[in-house]
Amino acid sequence: MRLHEYEALDIFEQNRIPVPRRGVAADVYEAIQIAGEIGYPVMLKAQVLVGGRGLAGGIKAAATQDELKEAAETLLASEIKGLPVRKILVCEKVEIARELYVGFTIDGYSGHPVILACTEGGVRIEETVKNEPEKVAALHFDPSFGYYPYQARGLLKLLGLKQPLISAWSDVIGRLYHVASSYEALIAEINPLVVLTNGTLLAVDAVLEVDDSALSRIRHPLPDRIDRIENVLERRGREIGVTYVDLDGDVGIIASGAGLGMVSMDIIGNNKMKPANFLETGGGITADLLYKCMDLIMMKPDLKAIFINVYGGINPIHEGAKGVVRYIKEHNVKLPIVAKALGNRQEETWEILQSGGVHVVTDTATEKAVEKLCELVGRKAG
Amino acid sequence: MSILMDDTTRVIVQGITGRIGSIQTKWMLEYGTKVVGGITPGKGGSIVEGVPVFDSVADAVKETGANSSVFFVPAGFVLDAFLETVDAGIRFIVVVPEHIPVADVMKMRSYAAEKGVFALGPTTPGILAPGIGKMGIMPASLFAPGRVGIISRSGTLSYEFAGLLSQIGIGQSTVVGMGADPVILRNLPDILERFEKDEGTDAVIIVGEVGGEQEEKAAGFIARQMTKPVACYIAGRYSPPGKRMGHAGAIVRGTSGTVEGKESALRAAGVTVLDSPKEVTAWAKHHKLS
């Protein structure tokens, strides 16, 4: 789960990372009030859970109340990469001498927590990492021992930095590591970490993404994970316990695993049709769950067909089939439905599905099932 | 032959008294796996599917000579059970559950590496060696004995690829679920290395997906060390960036973890890149696999 910048800044502040004076506003009047308290000029930053916000026009400066009013109105009426801007962060505009970068992440391949420090911050950090690696230093931690301050001091020396910046920055790194470990972060990032003209450091941005698998044991208050999903169908998916990703096509997909769901999308796409969604159940299939999955994918308007692709390994697919057929009968579904269902108790599953008018494909290849789908919607395969 | 499992493999099932643990034990036994014991702390002395249950892994190892373990333990208890299992001297561990915190997985991985234990998962269907046995949840009907190795990030796609080959009479030496989390207990090259050395394997299929860099790193290993033919399929070409596609590790971040990036790295290493899963049958016939 990714937190909003204003939420992450609060957490950083509680952990003694220096952050700007600020407030979060849901309308223009709140924004004016906050700016009045902290004093002009101010920065306005759209609070949306997506990267690349600065380049997408989500950050504006305001030197006067009139400018602030105009900028706040524009931002609050806008969408950034498809997400509505519901709140804006109003924060003090500071005098910047230099921009740095520091970020915590997990190196999946080495299996270590890593801190990356870069002597150049700002929006183009990914390019700097690629093109000017001499400006970047990485610190890998032993996951059992964690962080010790000497490591950061050594890292910053490698970048050619001098005191007192080394001490100030390594303090920030230690605190960021503390935030990352106590919140079980997958990403904790300050970009940029700025050096003010008076020489002190300030985190003017904050990114914090928490490990969903650890949410139940994190001992700090966190916002509700489901509430913040903007897309109503994706939120419904989370509520019933499946992964649903909303797409812009017209073939509804139910798969019993992530890989099979992606392959179903791949092959449907290769045949010039467009998936309406990605849906994978994971290992928890019951009749009730697949009934709810049918209900969920049918919420999408203009659906042309439904494609079901499941394996009975950990899942009782014969139970799932009962849920599908109950939905079809209760809602008198007329859409063409193609199903491939293999594994434990497959014959029983096929019989149940066929009793609901589902077109069952018994071949192993998902391609064969998609051919059937093409035929039913009147499209030539390939 | 096979990798990671053989005639000497003696398996314990951790979490054997749970709903999934008990049914999967039955299926593992039906497939011929030597399941010699089960663990559920507090339920030692009971019997599940004819298999004795022990309170601790150390007890089970002492009484049964177990050397391998498969986990059906709730996510929050996996780290504790894993450390116990390594300490009890088990050499091969399959961690089936999903939703284990990444911080725990990193500790498990580093402890296993230190103690020389080979572990698969988390979020894996497990491993299946036709004619020998299976540890995990793979549905046996889709597999057949033969000489092709399969490594898959996804459970369902390991079934799909094995099934595609079995359907045309081409069997598998071993099918391995490497795990679908952002951090897994053994990286892809370590599994490839086993297949490269295995006399019972003639060729290997990698079934990858978007996210992470396992496939990219494997390309380097293949270019340097693999002599056997390798084919790959990377799932998720229509996955929108920034969206997690079910698996915790299946997410394209910026320009990293894309299908194109993985395919081009593997292609440059001499791997046959399949555009659609079914092409695996033509590839297998071309290499005269059995």
Side-chain angles (χ1 to χ4, degrees), chain A residues 37-89:
Chain A
E37 283 162 19
I38 59 182
Y40 290 89
V42 293
M43 299 299 293
L44 301 180
K45 302 168 91 177
Q47 299 297 287
V48 283
L49 295 170
V50 64
R53 174 189 57 174
L55 295 174
I59 300 177
K60 292 180 187 297
T64 64
Q65 184 168 322
D66 285 346
E67 281 180 27
L68 175 129
K69 212 175 152 193
E70 194 189 326
E73 273 167 2
T74 310
L75 283 177
L76 284 165
S78 69
E79 281 193 353
I80 294 187
K81 298 188 178 174
L83 296 176
V85 178
R86 299 186 196 283
K87 287 181 178 171
I88 50 175
L89 181 70

Side-chain angles (χ1 to χ4, degrees), chain A residues 250-253 276 294 297-308 324 327-328 331-338 356-359 373 376-377:
Chain A
D250 51 21
V251 178
I253 295 177
M294 284 293 289
I297 63 169
M298 293 288 290
M299 284 181 196
K300 188 96 176 167
D302 306 323
L303 214 57
K304 280 212 184 87
I306 294 172
F307 190 74
I308 299 174
V324 171
Y327 187 90
I328 293 170
H331 294 79
N332 195 21
V333 178
K334 296 288 185 218
L335 287 175
I337 304 177
V338 174
V358 175
H359 299 268
L373 181 73
L376 290 170
V377 300

Side-chain angles (χ1 to χ4, degrees), chain A residues 24-34 72 76 86-88 90:
Chain A
V24 63
D27 60 45
V28 174
Y29 303 101
E30 281 179 3
I32 290 172
Q33 197 184 351
I34 295 162
L76 284 165
R86 299 186 196 283
K87 287 181 178 171
I88 50 175
V90 183

Side-chain angles (χ1 to χ4, degrees), chain A residues 86-381:
Chain A
R86 299 186 196 283
K87 287 181 178 171
I88 50 175
L89 181 70
V90 183
C91 57
E92 62 175 314
K93 188 165 188 286
V94 293
E95 294 297 323
I96 297 172
R98 182 175 187 186
E99 292 191 342
L100 311 168
Y101 167 92
V102 61
F104 169 99
T105 183
I106 307 285
D107 178 344
Y109 193 75
S110 72
H112 291 152
V114 179
I115 279 189
L116 278 180
C118 177
T119 53
E120 208 167 284
V123 288
R124 303 197 184 274
I125 180 70
E126 278 156 21
E127 286 170 31
T128 310
V129 170
K130 204 183 287 173
N131 303 328
E132 299 169 277
E134 71 283 358
K135 293 181 175 168
V136 184
L139 193 55
H140 283 249
F141 301 94
D142 182 313
S144 305
F145 285 99
Y147 165 87
Y148 289 92
Y150 80 93
Q151 297 170 296
R153 293 196 299 267
L155 177 78
L156 299 179
K157 206 165 173 204
L158 270 182
L159 289 175
L161 298 175
K162 305 257 185 294
Q163 292 290 9
L165 183 57
I166 288 183
S167 286
W169 196 358
S170 63
D171 281 351
V172 170
I173 290 177
R175 288 164 190 170
L176 185 69
Y177 186 89
H178 180 73
V179 169
S181 55
S182 61
Y183 280 85
E184 304 222 20
L186 300 178
I187 300 171
E189 188 180 73
I190 303 170
N191 184 25
L193 173 68
V194 302
V195 185
L196 301 180
T197 42
N198 69 9
T200 59
L201 292 175
L202 195 70
V204 300
D205 183 70
V207 172
L208 187 58
E209 184 179 325
V210 177
D211 182 357
D212 285 348
S213 298
L215 285 175
S216 63
R217 69 180 188 188
I218 296 171
R219 306 226 175 278
H220 305 283
L222 281 171
D224 186 272
R225 177 166 65 136
I226 292 176
D227 272 0
R228 64 181 42 215
I229 302 173
E230 290 281 353
N231 183 295
V232 61
L233 299 176
E234 293 180 4
R235 193 160 60 226
R236 175 68 185 153
R238 194 63 73 85
E239 282 165 3
I240 66 173
V242 301
T243 304
Y244 181 99
V245 176
D246 197 12
L247 303 166
D248 59 4
D250 51 21
V251 178
I253 295 177
I254 296 175
S256 67
L260 199 60
M262 283 188 267
V263 152
S264 302
M265 282 172 59
D266 290 349
I267 298 172
I268 287 171
N270 289 349
N271 282 279
K272 314 257 178 344
M273 290 180 287
K274 284 178 122 186
N277 68 279
F278 165 90
L279 186 158
E280 75 107 354
T281 61
I285 285 185
T286 59
D288 185 51
L289 183 73
L290 277 211
Y291 182 92
K292 287 176 179 159
C293 288
M294 284 293 289
D295 193 52
L296 171 56
I297 63 169
M298 293 288 290
M299 284 181 196
K300 188 96 176 167
D302 306 323
L303 214 57
K304 280 212 184 87
I306 294 172
F307 190 74
I308 299 174
N309 202 352
V310 294
Y311 274 104
I314 202 163
N315 275 313
I317 51 176
H318 61 291
E319 286 296 324
K322 290 177 197 164
V324 171
V325 169
R326 182 160 69 84
Y327 187 90
I328 293 170
K329 290 188 172 159
E330 282 181 20
H331 294 79
N332 195 21
V333 178
K334 296 288 185 218
L335 287 175
I337 304 177
V338 174
K340 180 165 85 75
L342 297 174
N344 301 320
R345 306 180 78 160
Q346 59 187 27
E347 287 81 7
E348 189 182 339
T349 304
W350 299 342
E351 252 176 56
I352 297 167
L353 288 169
Q354 279 159 346
S355 76
V358 175
H359 299 268
V360 174
V361 176
T362 58
D363 195 281
T364 310
T366 294
E367 288 91 337
K368 289 281 181 196
V370 174
E371 275 172 29
K372 184 75 193 173
L373 181 73
C374 290
E375 183 192 315
L376 290 170
V377 300
R379 177 184 280 280
K380 202 167 166 288

